[in-house]
Amino acid sequence: MTTRKSWQSIHDELRRRIVDGIWQPGDLIPAEEQLAAEFQCARATVNRALRGLADSGLLNRRRRVGSRVATEPSRYATLKIDIIRLEVEQRGAKYRHALTERAQVLAPERVQYRMNLNDDTELLYICNLHMADDRPIIYEERWLNPVVLHGIFDVDFSAISVNEWLVRNVMFTRGDISFCATNLTEREAQLFAADLGEAAFVIERTTWQDEQCITSVRLLHEPGFSMRTELI
Amino acid sequence: MTTRKSWQSIHDELRRRIVDGIWQPGDLIPAEEQLAAEFQCARATVNRALRGLADSGLLNRRRRVGSRVATEPSRYATLKIDIIRLEVEQRGAKYRHALTERAQVLAPERVQYRMNLNDDTELLYICNLHMADDRPIIYEERWLNPVVLHGIFDVDFSAISVNEWLVRNVMFTRGDISFCATNLTEREAQLFAADLGEAAFVIERTTWQDEQCITSVRLLHEPGFSMRTELI
DNA sequence: AAGTGGTCTAGACCACACC
DNA sequence: GTGTGGTCTAGACCACTTC
């Protein structure tokens, strides 16, 4: 055995060959066996490195065929979904939230559709204004399904935020999230001390436990908000 | 040896124990060695399963300490960044784009800042309107760095889109992306046959090759656009 | 049939964090 | 020191795809 190679160093070297154009898009690269011989390591180590490159979209791998440099490399942006309180506190600001609404209601039709509910299930409807250093930053409008969330009607959501209660009490198995832009209504503009019609960033998130919908939430961000992340 | 276990089946079983609350948030789960004994498999197989759970944010793992069920499970939304033409064609629509502007200019200050450039580098400035079934869906405004992109001034971007030319000719090593909402200016509203001030979704993306900025782009989406993905 | 990636095994050593 | 996860090895078999 010569010096021990790490899968990371092999990953980086192969990545370099792709980025520098030594292996062009569409090219078939050497098989794992050959690379293992070149790098003087076990095939499993090369496999680990190649899997990483395939995960990040730089390679397409197929059995019997080999690993090909992607012709149209897929790139991904990964967004971390945090509890709002943590996001605020990590920025060094003081977090506070105010419960602005609480009711037991039938959801509007488009929410029923999103949550895949019958039209006779009464939901808990909760609205919250989230603040950083006492400045409103997010208006949260949320529908909760009592069929899944037993005892939800008895929880005191002025003491604990809905978000945190959910995180501690149920775990979702799947969810979807969508992003869009909207013009502030008059009422929404007042919340942010902004102008009617200003553009605001909206996140809508719906989460499920197996086939049952847990909750659907709409997060209206203050005008000027921008969400940033790294590309992979 | 009993029946052969796959890392996937172990992953799913452990995930079930977490989701069903058999292992509560904060709990220390058995060490790899013990799980390997339970599942009658090699430790490497358990390791692979646990690594998957840690990657998806359900576990926090530390050497010497063990694997702990995350108290505030991080959830991630992963967005696939495709070439616009592919996105349109995958929806079954006809793709077309029109070059609306092309100039050799100094970038505005905020773009220079974003691209980390001196204030004397002339960039190639290109604007494109992307259409699906002849309806404008994205207005693209882009600055390209000729220092990295040799010969960029000679390319005919009415024949090939900037996006595709870039993908085929350079590969970026890192990038950042941000999302926000904006009110359409009068000129922008005209492009989309929309009203002045309507809210539109904006993506800004800047990509780099090592320390040099390749390009920065602003994608203004048609009013009503919504970007959706699954939560992990 | 044959070649490629995907995975598993059993064992080993290392890196790290807590003692 | 000691116990945990992180990784590597050498070999093996399997799964898939093309021939």
Side-chain angles (χ1 to χ4, degrees), chain B residues 139-174:
Chain B
Y139 182 61
E140 169 190 359
E141 203 176 3
R142 187 187 284 273
W143 288 267
L144 298 140
N145 184 2
V147 176
V148 188
L149 305 166
H150 313 292
I152 186 86
F153 288 119
D154 304 323
V155 182
D156 174 13
F157 286 122
S158 53
I160 184 174
S161 84
V162 195
N163 203 329
E164 300 200 42
W165 185 87
L166 284 171
V167 163
R168 295 199 192 153
N169 288 277
V170 296
M171 198 165 279
F172 65 83
T173 50
R174 65 192 175 86

Side-chain angles (χ1 to χ4, degrees), chain B residues 168-189:
Chain B
R168 295 199 192 153
N169 288 277
V170 296
M171 198 165 279
F172 65 83
T173 50
R174 65 192 175 86
D176 57 75
I177 188 167
S178 69
F179 309 88
C180 63
T182 194
N183 293 102
L184 291 181
T185 63
E186 192 155 358
R187 191 174 150 281
E188 290 166 346

Side-chain angles (χ1 to χ4, degrees), chain A residues 1 4-7 41-45 48 62-64:
Chain A
M1 190 56 38
R4 205 177 173 83
K5 294 280 179 182
S6 72
W7 70 268
C41 69
R43 185 167 76 89
T45 308
R48 176 80 200 255
R62 288 171 63 202
R63 286 173 174 167
R64 178 65 177 86

Side-chain angles (χ1 to χ4, degrees), chain B residues 32 43 47 61 63-64:
Chain B
E32 294 186 353
R43 185 167 75 89
N47 179 281
R61 317 190 67 200
R63 285 173 173 166
R64 177 67 180 87

Side-chain angles (χ1 to χ4, degrees), chain B residues 20-214:
Chain B
D20 288 358
I22 297 173
W23 291 332
Q24 299 274 331
D27 283 0
L28 208 52
I29 72 170
E32 294 186 353
E33 202 73 59
Q34 295 172 52
L35 290 171
E38 177 190 340
F39 290 108
Q40 296 281 308
C41 68
R43 185 167 75 89
T45 307
V46 172
N47 179 281
R48 178 79 201 258
L50 292 178
R51 185 152 37 85
L53 293 168
D55 283 350
S56 52
L58 252 52
L59 286 182
N60 297 321
R61 317 190 67 200
R62 287 172 65 203
R63 285 173 173 166
R64 177 67 180 87
V65 177
S67 303
R68 207 173 278 282
V69 179
T71 46
E72 280 152 355
S74 297
R75 295 296 193 151
Y76 297 91
T78 301
L79 299 161
K80 187 161 184 243
I81 311 297
D82 260 334
I83 294 175
I84 296 168
R85 176 177 61 75
L86 288 180
E87 276 177 22
V88 170
E89 288 172 355
Q90 277 161 15
R91 291 206 309 263
K94 183 173 73 72
Y95 173 76
R96 191 164 70 81
H97 77 273
L99 186 66
T100 63
E101 213 147 326
R102 179 187 179 122
Q104 185 168 346
V105 295
L106 288 173
E109 204 166 331
R110 72 165 207 294
V111 175
Q112 281 181 11
Y113 174 74
R114 221 158 59 203
M115 298 178 73
N116 193 24
L117 292 172
N118 304 326
D119 57 2
D120 57 355
T121 314
E122 286 206 328
L123 302 179
L124 179 58
Y125 174 66
I126 295 244
C127 295
N128 261 305
L129 191 60
H130 298 265
M131 284 162 278
D133 288 337
D134 294 321
R135 191 170 48 83
I137 54 162
I138 298 176
Y139 182 61
E140 169 190 359
E141 203 176 3
R142 187 187 284 273
W143 288 267
L144 298 140
N145 184 2
V147 176
V148 188
L149 305 166
H150 313 292
I152 186 86
F153 288 119
D154 304 323
V155 182
D156 174 13
F157 286 122
S158 53
I160 184 174
S161 84
V162 195
N163 203 329
E164 300 200 42
W165 185 87
L166 284 171
V167 163
R168 295 199 192 153
N169 288 277
V170 296
M171 198 165 279
F172 65 83
T173 50
R174 65 192 175 86
D176 57 75
I177 188 167
S178 69
F179 309 88
C180 63
T182 194
N183 293 102
L184 291 181
T185 63
E186 192 155 358
R187 191 174 150 281
E188 290 166 346
Q190 279 172 12
L191 292 170
F192 292 113
D195 294 329
L196 171 66
E198 270 201 83
F201 188 80
V202 173
I203 302 181
E204 283 182 341
R205 203 160 69 218
T206 308
T207 54
W208 310 72
Q209 193 170 53
D210 304 315
E211 286 317 302
Q212 283 197 302
C213 186
I214 302 171

